Amino acid sequence: MNTLHSLAASFIEQLNAVRRVSKNSANTQTNSGLANTAQSRQHLLSPFSHSDLPENVAPSGGQTSKLGLKGRARSPWLLVVAVVSLTGTMGHRFYNQPKLDVGTKAPQTIKAPASASIPDRKTTEEQRKEARTGAVPVLAIDPITDRHIYQELQKFLARGNELRQIAGPFPFVGTEMLSTAVQSYLRQCQEWEWRAVLAELDDETSPDTESSTDQFTDAKRIANKSIEQAVAELEAYRLVVLKEDFNKLTENISQARKGYFNALAELSKQSVSELGEVYDSSLLDLSDAVWLQTQTGINRIASRILVQGIPPGLPRDILKEAVRQQVMDVMPTATQPLAVKSLGAILQPNLVRDIEATKQLAELAAQKVKPVMATVEEGEIIVKEGEEITLSDFVLLDYFSLSRREVNWLGLTGFVCLVSGAIGVVLLVERYYRLRRRDHLLLLLLTLSTPVLVSLGVPWTSLPAIGILAGSFYGSAVGVTVVGLLSAVLPIGLEIDGIHLLASAAGGLLGALMAGRLRSREELALLGVGVGLTQGIFYLLCTLIASATAGSIWYALVSTVILQSLGGLAWSIIALGLSPYLEHLFDLITPIRLAELANPNRPLLKRLAAEAPGTFQHTLFVASLAEAAARSLGCNVELVRTGTLYHDIGKMHDPMGFCENQMSGPNKHDQINNPWMSAEIIKKHVTEGLVMAKKYRLPKAIQAFIPEHQGTMLIAYFYYQAQQIVAEQERIANGKEYANTKLKVSNRVLKEEDFRYDGPIPQSRETGIVMLADSCEAALRSLKDASHEEALSMVNKMMRARWQDNQLVDSGLTREDLAEVAEIFVRVWEQFNHKRIAYPKAVLTPR
């Protein structure tokens, strides 16, 4: 705080002001010099301190804040109310618990007092749920998959045609000339074999006839029968035709051989996806008629199998066996292996799940489940002695009021202990956050919302909203603890769907973990989407795990999953809408609310900037100092920033009464010339600030910065001026001097409390940091060319004065903290007052 009671922002200005007041006599000047020393010491105790949390170590050795003890005090009646209310809303299972429940053994044989037929709703609903999740999925042929398979099949057959076209037609001559076997041999035999055959046929051999004859001899030795047959048929044909016709035949054979070997070379290069090894040389040995029959058969078998449908997950071996059975009746024997191999590789599952049809089938299966009825005739035995009571038995016993319902005192006592232990865990966790009684009440109300909704039959739990609100208001640890414990205790005392509870708990835990880290309503809205998705996905996973058959028709649960997601999103929207109202009603300070209050466009801050601009600039610099210190000490940075912005709003009641707003104008206090009145003006900025804060409904945590940043400090300058006046009055009374007619005061008694702020002193580290920042701001601004050590020495003197004046006794700040804060203040000051290069005059002179 840079109040005018010091009549300046610096220690030097105070000294000059004192000299002006006491310049009439040397004796007065001497006293003034002594007073200046005292006054500078008073200034080091500058009333700039503020805090909002209860914790401190006193200079003398350690004293816990009284306010902190009060804030942390537990209200016994509130604990009793919490245990009773939570037990009352969640312990329904123990209030009217049947002694003869499902799973217990009957103590005696029980007969029906009358005939009855009672619907067993629980069993019926369970069977319908099983019917929905256990329905067989409906499969439909996927035309896209069929189209792809046909394309692959045609591509495969086209490749075969291409290879056969390269090889040429077969047989390449009429069978009346050469048999098919001989044509096949002559087309694929080795070159030296073909030459040997020609040599045998040629009566007039060339010079190398002898070697050819030798080759023929070898050939005969290797493949005697094939060569003999080829030579015989060729010789027979030569005898009945002209030489030109015979030569034409040999040319046809050579041409066929060339095409065949070209086809083999191309065949070795083929790489048609996974079909690369399906074709082999046997393809080239097929006659055109057999190949045409093979193509027709492959297309027909593929169409037949695809129309029947191939389900997903069908083992490849089973598919190949099905193809083999189809091929046996349609394909030629020679091409059956080729057809089996190719179709086994090309055919793929073409059946896909029909989601809509499966949903309809599941719902139809659930509707077909007839209501389960528990029927008994009068006098008929419901359960025999020693037998275990089944669900249908219990329905009948409960209908006839034979289940012996009564209060389970033992169970209820245990449940009370369980609830009390859960409350104790919450209190143990929240002790680090120092929650108030109203905070405990809000947590209780939020917790009660879930069992109340379950008791009323609402199918949705409020765990997501509780997680978001508790995490946003009190931090992730408190939010996670509340949601986790509530999720664990709730099914013990109430009948609730376990899967829905787990899904809601997952959404609530996510909301609790993330809400405390968010800094805007927009981020909270996005968190709501995440909570909804988490709840839906978790519900789906839990359902799939719980049901062995649900995995095959998971898409039948899509509608339920979407409803779960929308439920989580709806609770997030409710939490987002309730948040501002709860913040005002329970006086809560969340990071989001603090960020909103720190917006310079807030009405109160806009007024401060317009009506007291000097104070506003002073506030900004103090906020920079305090925020840096708070971040280093691990304090609530948002609270410090926002509290600092509002700590001097009371100066708007009389802006010209404070030197930072006077600019170069006259000093109002020089005209008043009454230290008592000036002190009242200075002190009034605290009371007026509190009035404004309440008018604009600022949180109490922010309001606390207004009085606590001044504490009970002494308004040093005017107190010293009052001392001078009283001393002068005493001298007049003793006849030593004449009265100073310039002082507009009558005889008054000097009381130090008239020149001290009303307090309280800082009650938290946050307000203590602001007090120190406010005290050091004016002194740091007054420094021009001071070194780091000089600035640090001045800051340490001021902090030492605050410490010795016991202003920080309840703040929680230690001596070590003050040393760290001093370094940070000087570092921030150096950043604001960094040196700049001096521009030469020639640069500044216009050309």
Side-chain angles (χ1 to χ4, degrees):
M1 137 128 199
N2 195 8
T3 56
L4 192 71
H5 68 272
S6 59
L7 273 185
S10 69
F11 174 67
I12 298 175
E13 290 178 347
Q14 288 183 345
L15 292 176
N16 293 333
V18 173
R19 290 190 180 97
R20 286 198 302 270
V21 173
S22 56
K23 63 182 178 180
N24 293 329
S25 67
N27 188 36
T28 305
Q29 290 174 358
T30 303
N31 293 335
S32 175
L34 295 174
N36 284 335
T37 303
Q39 183 178 354
S40 65
R41 184 168 173 269
Q42 297 279 359
H43 181 70
L44 293 176
L45 304 176
S46 170
F48 307 142
S49 136
H50 182 287
S51 183
D52 185 43
L53 300 176
E55 174 186 62
N56 188 36
V57 178
S60 58
Q63 175 184 348
T64 305
S65 166
K66 297 178 181 178
L67 181 61
L69 290 175
K70 180 180 179 181
R72 295 177 58 183
R74 308 300 182 204
S75 176
W77 66 266
L78 186 58
L79 292 176
V80 172
V81 169
V83 173
V84 172
S85 59
L86 289 173
T87 305
T89 54
M90 289 194 293
H92 291 183
R93 189 191 300 271
F94 304 100
Y95 300 146
N96 197 24
Q97 188 172 6
K99 191 172 182 179
L100 301 181
D101 204 349
V102 177
T104 61
K105 292 186 178 180
Q108 61 188 39
T109 301
I110 303 176
K111 298 182 179 181
S115 300
S117 181
I118 305 103
D120 187 349
R121 294 183 177 84
K122 186 174 181 179
T123 303
T124 302
E125 187 58 34
E126 288 179 353
Q127 291 183 0
R128 288 177 176 172
K129 187 175 181 180
E130 291 176 359
R132 289 190 185 96
T133 56
V136 177
V138 177
L139 302 178
I141 293 178
D142 182 13
I144 298 177
T145 303
D146 277 1
R147 191 180 307 115
H148 176 71
I149 292 174
Y150 281 122
Q151 289 174 354
E152 287 293 320
L153 184 60
Q154 298 309 315
K155 186 178 178 181
F156 170 75
L157 295 177
R159 179 61 174 169
N161 288 327
E162 180 183 350
L163 292 172
R164 286 179 58 82
Q165 187 176 4
I166 296 174
F170 183 79
F172 50 86
V173 294
T175 54
E176 69 277 4
M177 299 180 186
L178 296 174
S179 65
T180 303
V182 170
Q183 290 187 49
S184 176
Y185 169 72
L186 291 176
R187 190 173 66 153
Q188 64 186 7
C189 68
Q190 298 297 322
E191 181 65 21
W192 63 268
E193 293 181 74
W194 168 239
R195 289 181 178 275
V197 171
L198 291 178
E200 179 69 17
L201 294 172
D202 195 353
D203 292 335
E204 297 178 359
T205 59
S206 59
D208 60 346
T209 302
E210 184 176 354
S211 62
S212 299
T213 303
D214 294 338
Q215 290 179 348
F216 175 65
T217 304
D218 295 337
K220 289 180 66 176
R221 189 183 307 115
I222 297 172
N224 187 38
K225 290 184 178 181
S226 298
I227 294 177
E228 286 180 356
Q229 184 178 357
V231 171
E233 291 189 12
L234 287 170
E235 184 67 26
Y237 180 73
R238 186 173 63 173
L239 294 175
V240 298
V241 298
L242 298 176
K243 186 177 181 180
E244 291 79 7
D245 293 334
F246 183 77
N247 292 336
K248 187 176 181 180
L249 173 62
T250 57
E251 289 179 3
N252 288 339
I253 295 174
S254 298
Q255 193 67 28
R257 286 175 53 78
K258 181 180 179 181
Y260 181 83
F261 283 105
N262 287 340
L264 287 180
E266 186 66 23
L267 187 63
S268 64
K269 301 177 184 177
Q270 66 173 346
S271 58
V272 186
S273 66
E274 62 180 15
L275 305 177
E277 299 180 357
V278 173
Y279 286 130
D280 54 27
S281 60
S282 63
L283 171 69
L284 307 178
D285 297 334
L286 300 176
S287 65
D288 292 345
V290 172
W291 173 241
L292 180 60
Q293 185 180 359
T294 301
Q295 293 183 82
T296 304
I298 288 177
N299 281 315
R300 185 182 304 168
I301 294 171
S303 299
R304 186 183 302 170
I305 293 178
L306 290 176
V307 168
Q308 294 174 349
I310 304 174
L314 181 68
R316 184 64 61 178
D317 294 340
I318 297 178
L319 177 60
K320 286 185 177 181
E321 182 60 31
V323 171
R324 186 176 293 107
Q325 295 298 325
Q326 296 281 348
V327 164
M328 290 174 61
D329 300 332
V330 178
M331 304 290 295
T333 304
T335 58
Q336 285 183 6
L338 173 64
V340 172
K341 196 173 183 181
S342 60
L343 288 174
I346 294 175
L347 294 178
Q348 302 293 332
N350 66 335
L351 293 178
V352 294
R353 296 181 175 91
D354 190 334
I355 297 178
E356 290 300 325
T358 303
K359 288 182 181 179
Q360 294 176 5
L361 180 63
E363 192 59 35
L364 182 62
Q367 292 176 1
K368 287 183 178 179
V369 176
K370 297 181 179 180
V372 179
M373 305 296 294
T375 306
V376 69
E377 298 295 333
E378 182 178 359
E380 183 180 348
I381 295 176
I382 299 177
V383 61
K384 294 182 179 180
E385 181 180 358
E387 288 184 351
E388 187 174 295
I389 299 175
T390 63
L391 183 59
S392 59
D393 296 337
F394 174 75
V395 171
L396 293 171
L397 292 175
D398 208 40
Y399 176 77
F400 291 120
S401 300
L402 299 176
S403 58
R404 303 181 185 178
R405 288 187 177 273
E406 60 185 15
V407 177
N408 184 354
W409 292 107
L410 181 61
L412 186 61
T413 302
F415 190 70
V416 169
C417 296
L418 179 63
V419 171
S420 302
I423 294 175
V425 172
V426 174
L427 294 178
L428 184 66
V429 172
E430 63 84 17
R431 65 175 181 164
Y432 297 103
Y433 299 88
R434 293 177 173 80
L435 303 189
R436 305 157 300 176
R437 292 177 182 176
R438 66 181 66 189
D439 299 323
H440 294 149
L441 178 60
L442 177 57
L443 282 178
L444 176 61
L445 294 176
L446 291 176
T447 305
L448 287 173
S449 65
T450 297
V452 169
L453 290 175
V454 174
S455 301
L456 294 176
V458 178
W460 308 99
T461 61
S462 57
L463 291 176
I466 295 175
I468 292 176
L469 291 174
S472 176
F473 293 161
Y474 308 117
S476 299
V478 175
V480 169
T481 302
V482 172
V483 173
L485 291 175
L486 182 58
S487 303
V489 175
L490 199 62
I492 298 177
L494 289 172
E495 292 287 342
I496 187 172
D497 181 31
I499 295 179
H500 171 66
L501 177 63
L502 290 175
S504 297
L509 290 174
L510 176 65
L513 281 171
M514 300 302 299
R517 306 176 185 180
L518 305 184
R519 295 296 181 268
S520 68
R521 308 285 179 190
E522 180 182 1
E523 292 177 344
L524 270 183
L526 293 177
L527 175 61
V529 177
V531 168
L533 291 176
T534 300
Q535 182 167 334
I537 294 173
F538 209 84
Y539 182 87
L540 175 62
L541 294 177
C542 291
T543 304
L544 295 178
I545 294 173
S547 177
T549 58
S552 59
I553 57 167
W554 59 268
Y555 40 84
L557 303 171
V558 170
S559 58
T560 307
V561 171
I562 292 176
L563 287 177
Q564 288 288 333
S565 298
L566 292 177
L569 177 61
W571 280 117
S572 302
I573 295 174
I574 292 174
L576 187 62
L578 288 177
S579 179
Y581 300 100
L582 294 177
E583 288 172 358
H584 283 85
L585 183 61
F586 289 88
D587 191 35
L588 300 170
I589 51 167
T590 63
I592 294 177
R593 191 181 184 193
L594 291 174
E596 293 172 347
L597 290 173
N599 188 337
N601 289 320
R602 300 286 295 191
L604 202 54
L605 295 181
K606 290 180 70 174
R607 277 191 57 194
L608 180 63
E611 298 177 16
T615 299
F616 184 72
Q617 294 301 320
H618 150 78
T619 296
L620 294 180
F621 187 44
V622 174
S624 300
L625 295 172
E627 186 176 348
R631 183 175 292 106
S632 178
L633 296 183
C635 301
N636 191 331
V637 178
E638 290 86 358
L639 178 62
V640 169
R641 181 193 304 117
T642 308
T644 306
L645 292 177
Y646 288 93
H647 80 287
D648 268 347
I649 57 175
K651 291 184 178 180
M652 285 189 289
H653 86 284
D654 188 2
M656 300 310 295
F658 302 88
C659 65
E660 66 265 22
N661 297 312
Q662 295 170 2
M663 307 307 174
S664 299
N667 189 335
K668 178 178 181 178
H669 294 276
D670 289 341
Q671 299 172 0
I672 296 175
N673 204 17
N674 186 327
W676 281 270
M677 187 178 298
S678 295
E680 287 299 322
I681 293 175
I682 300 300
K683 292 170 62 176
K684 196 173 183 180
H685 89 277
V686 172
T687 55
E688 289 295 327
L690 289 173
V691 172
M692 291 182 185
K694 293 176 181 178
K695 178 181 178 181
Y696 284 84
R697 293 181 300 178
L698 294 181
K700 290 185 178 179
I702 301 300
Q703 294 181 25
F705 281 81
I706 297 173
E708 291 181 24
H709 87 278
Q710 296 290 3
T712 58
M713 289 191 301
L714 185 67
I715 305 175
Y717 174 76
F718 293 115
Y719 178 70
Y720 171 75
Q721 192 179 63
Q723 282 182 325
Q724 300 298 313
I725 294 174
V726 171
E728 185 176 357
Q729 289 176 348
E730 290 178 354
R731 286 192 293 272
I732 294 173
N734 295 333
K736 295 181 179 180
E737 291 186 6
Y738 295 101
N740 186 345
T741 57
K742 293 182 179 181
L743 296 175
K744 301 177 182 179
V745 294
S746 56
N747 293 335
R748 295 191 62 167
V749 178
L750 180 63
K751 297 181 180 179
E752 185 175 311
E753 56 267 24
D754 293 339
F755 295 88
R756 280 191 177 272
Y757 288 98
D758 297 330
I761 60 176
Q763 298 297 307
S764 74
R765 302 173 75 195
E766 282 77 5
T767 51
I769 288 172
V770 176
M771 168 182 271
L772 297 175
D774 197 44
S775 302
C776 298
E777 184 268 346
L780 288 173
R781 279 185 180 272
S782 67
L783 298 176
K784 299 301 180 183
D785 297 324
S787 64
H788 178 90
E789 290 72 18
E790 292 173 342
L792 183 61
S793 176
M794 176 176 288
V795 170
N796 283 328
K797 286 180 181 179
M798 290 189 170
M799 292 186 177
R800 191 180 306 113
R802 300 295 172 270
W803 184 272
Q804 293 174 353
D805 196 27
N806 288 332
Q807 295 298 318
L808 303 174
V809 68
D810 289 338
S811 69
L813 293 173
T814 63
R815 292 181 182 272
E816 292 76 14
D817 293 337
L818 296 188
E820 184 176 351
V821 169
E823 286 285 352
I824 294 170
F825 284 176
V826 174
R827 191 183 312 135
V828 174
W829 166 76
E830 290 174 337
Q831 294 169 357
F832 269 81
N833 293 273
H834 57 278
K835 293 183 178 181
R836 303 295 298 270
I837 298 175
Y839 286 94
K841 292 183 178 180
V843 176
L844 302 177
T845 303
R847 296 181 181 179

